[in-house]
Amino acid sequence: MDIREIAELVREIRRKHGLPESPFRIDEIRYDEKNDKLFIIAHDRTDKSVIIGNSLVIGKLRERLGVRQVTVYSNLDLEIKRRKLELAEKSVEGTVLDFLLPIIEAEKRFPPREWPEVVGNIETLVFLSFNARAMLGFAERLGLPYRAVGLKYTFPRVKYEEIEGEPKDLFFPDGEELLKIAKENGEGLILADFPFGLKWESGIALLNPFRFLHIGFFELKYLFGFEWPTIVDKNALVDFVVGLTYEGLMESTDGANLIWRAWRRRR
């Protein structure tokens, strides 16, 4: 389908479900045939919101088109991502992390996502923070020799070494403590949900690959899966969600669902 046909289908779905007929503009349609994914590039974030329609419109659109996934981005989203990737590129050139350069280059062309085969040769410590499955998936996808550590009882279906810590560390990892552990074992890279993309301390790289590459929570779920931790600091979760939403790495609906799920839990 072309832009005109998709736009008319969005209007039809909105009318059928009693949503206001708000104007919107689609700049581009991209289809990833290999993974059966349709990407709609809206003109700006207001247009994007109209097309998504609180997830209802995008869900119905996927059903009507018969594709596995429909995702909407705005041109502003993609421009912000490209600018962040340009900074990321400069930060790893000439370092032990320069194996990330082909991944950065591939992300500049997103969507769709087509990573080349890359192998990283650096001993890595993976801390099982909130996006534990994604951190492990990233390490495995890049062939990193890694060791996983995490808080007691948080991810019972994952094999890892238990370390001491507080539930809030799932959202805001203790970098100093992880540095100590990495130094003791000669690891030069630490992967975790740090509140930054990349930082160097004592010659060790502290990396949140998804902030670094500007990949949002929604995409991570489809890329690597997601597992809810057994213990959650609810206040830390709210701060974490707010931060990701502010940076454009989480849709407000996803954030609201995470917070609602946490508040339903007894612990």
Side-chain angles (χ1 to χ4, degrees):
M1 301 183 78
D2 60 21
I3 292 176
R4 182 186 59 79
E5 291 172 313
I6 294 291
E8 182 52 41
L9 189 52
V10 169
R11 294 188 188 96
E12 179 187 326
I13 292 169
R14 290 184 66 86
R15 285 194 298 267
K16 181 176 180 179
H17 293 276
L19 298 175
E21 295 193 23
S22 305
F24 63 92
R25 175 176 164 185
I26 297 174
D27 286 348
E28 189 178 354
I29 299 291
R30 302 182 192 177
Y31 177 61
D32 177 5
E33 186 174 359
K34 179 181 177 181
N35 298 297
D36 193 25
K37 295 180 180 181
L38 183 75
F39 299 94
I40 300 174
I41 314 300
H43 186 64
D44 60 28
R45 284 178 172 171
T46 301
D47 300 310
K48 172 183 171 180
S49 296
V50 174
I51 297 166
I52 291 175
N54 293 326
S55 296
L56 184 150
V57 176
I58 204 69
K60 295 296 180 182
L61 193 60
R62 180 180 60 80
E63 291 176 9
R64 291 286 298 273
L65 295 174
V67 296
R68 190 168 71 88
Q69 183 181 330
V70 176
T71 309
V72 186
Y73 296 94
S74 72
N75 269 315
L76 178 60
D77 293 330
L78 298 179
E79 179 59 27
I80 289 172
K81 180 181 178 73
R82 283 190 290 267
R83 292 187 183 186
K84 288 183 178 293
L85 288 169
E86 287 172 1
L87 295 175
E89 191 172 42
K90 292 177 182 177
S91 70
V92 298
E93 287 177 341
T95 74
V96 294
L97 297 184
D98 61 3
F99 64 88
L100 292 172
L101 290 173
I103 302 296
I104 294 171
E105 193 60 38
E107 282 294 304
K108 287 181 182 179
R109 298 189 294 271
F110 175 82
R113 175 168 288 110
E114 296 177 342
W115 285 4
E117 291 299 321
V118 171
V119 177
N121 186 25
I122 180 172
E123 293 294 328
T124 302
L125 178 70
V126 178
F127 174 65
L128 301 184
S129 43
F130 187 65
N131 286 303
R133 284 292 181 189
M135 292 297 166
L136 292 172
F138 181 81
E140 291 167 2
R141 177 68 176 78
L142 272 64
L144 291 165
Y146 74 89
R147 179 171 62 101
V149 299
L151 304 182
K152 292 180 179 180
Y153 315 122
T154 49
F155 295 100
R157 292 190 295 179
V158 180
K159 184 178 180 180
Y160 64 94
E161 298 176 27
E162 295 180 344
I163 62 173
E164 297 298 325
E166 299 295 329
K168 66 179 178 60
D169 294 341
L170 286 172
F171 305 99
F172 301 99
D174 186 341
E176 291 301 317
E177 184 60 32
L178 293 175
L179 275 169
K180 292 178 185 177
I181 296 171
K183 287 177 182 178
E184 291 172 359
N185 292 274
E187 287 140 344
L189 173 63
I190 303 172
L191 300 182
D193 277 300
F194 295 118
F196 49 80
L198 172 64
K199 184 184 293 185
W200 297 87
E201 294 283 352
S202 305
I204 297 175
L206 285 73
L207 178 69
N208 181 335
F210 312 119
R211 283 183 184 270
F212 184 72
L213 297 170
H214 204 71
I215 300 176
F217 177 77
F218 174 82
E219 299 167 58
L220 291 183
K221 289 191 297 183
Y222 281 92
L223 274 174
F224 303 113
F226 175 74
E227 182 167 348
W228 189 263
T230 57
I231 302 171
V232 173
D233 182 316
K234 297 177 181 177
N235 292 323
L237 169 64
V238 172
D239 291 339
F240 180 76
V241 165
V242 169
L244 288 182
T245 304
Y246 176 77
E247 293 182 42
L249 293 173
M250 180 177 287
E251 295 295 334
S252 57
T253 49
D254 281 332
N257 286 335
L258 289 174
I259 292 170
W260 177 77
R261 181 175 178 178
W263 250 257
R264 288 182 63 212
R265 295 167 63 93
R266 294 183 178 180
R267 292 197 298 176

